[in-house]
Amino acid sequence: MTGIDLVEEEPRALKPALLKGLRLRCPNCGGGRLLHSYLKVNDGCSECGQELHHQRADDGPAYLTILVVGHILGFALHIVYTQMRPDPWTLAIIMSVITVGASLLMLPRMKGLVVAYQWAKRMHGF
């Protein structure tokens, strides 16, 4: 070696971190809030001091939200159409409400999931 020893870092548990991220909590301690606005990640945890500014969630949460909401919408469309047989405008309004509501509910949680995954895998300087 050239004087620089490579230190193997201890792996972080993925499942607990992901569950904390879905609850919008710090992936390290689970105590501090992950987001301080609808989608803005805190620079650091208020409880344990874990730096969170390294995250690079970018478009990942939006893609995951589309994937999940698309599946929810498919099941909802099938159930509503087979059970109620509404006219087209009613069906469009029902599906629009489900889509917007599910998207607004899921997007911050998907962002928390992506940030927690990055933390657990020590990506981007975590």
Side-chain angles (χ1 to χ4, degrees), residues 26 28 42-45 48-55 119 125-126:
C26 170
N28 186 30
N42 287 324
D43 287 335
C45 177
C48 68
Q50 172 70 49
E51 292 180 350
L52 299 170
H53 63 87
H54 302 294
Q55 63 85 23
W119 176 84
F126 272 115

Side-chain angles (χ1 to χ4, degrees), residues 22-108:
L22 283 172
R23 291 185 325 198
L24 303 177
R25 296 293 176 192
C26 170
N28 186 30
C29 68
R33 293 181 52 95
L34 188 62
L35 306 176
H36 68 270
S37 183
Y38 182 64
L39 289 177
K40 300 223 187 266
V41 179
N42 287 324
D43 287 335
C45 177
S46 61
E47 300 293 320
C48 68
Q50 172 70 49
E51 292 180 350
L52 299 170
H53 63 87
H54 302 294
Q55 63 85 23
R56 296 284 177 256
D58 300 329
D59 292 335
Y63 294 137
L64 289 173
T65 300
I66 291 169
L67 179 71
V68 172
V69 171
H71 283 81
I72 291 170
L73 192 63
F75 287 115
L77 179 62
H78 174 71
I79 291 168
V80 169
Y81 187 74
T82 58
Q83 299 298 319
M84 296 172 45
R85 295 278 175 149
D87 53 330
W89 278 108
T90 306
L91 184 62
I93 290 171
I94 291 171
M95 292 301 113
S96 296
V97 168
I98 291 172
T99 302
V100 170
S103 296
L104 291 174
L105 189 69
M106 294 294 296
L107 189 56

Side-chain angles (χ1 to χ4, degrees), residues 10-18 27-28 113-123 126:
E10 182 178 317
R12 295 174 176 163
L14 180 63
K15 187 176 179 180
L18 294 180
N28 186 30
L113 183 82
V114 170
V115 171
Y117 181 82
Q118 291 174 359
W119 176 84
K121 296 296 184 179
R122 297 183 187 274
M123 297 170 70
F126 272 115

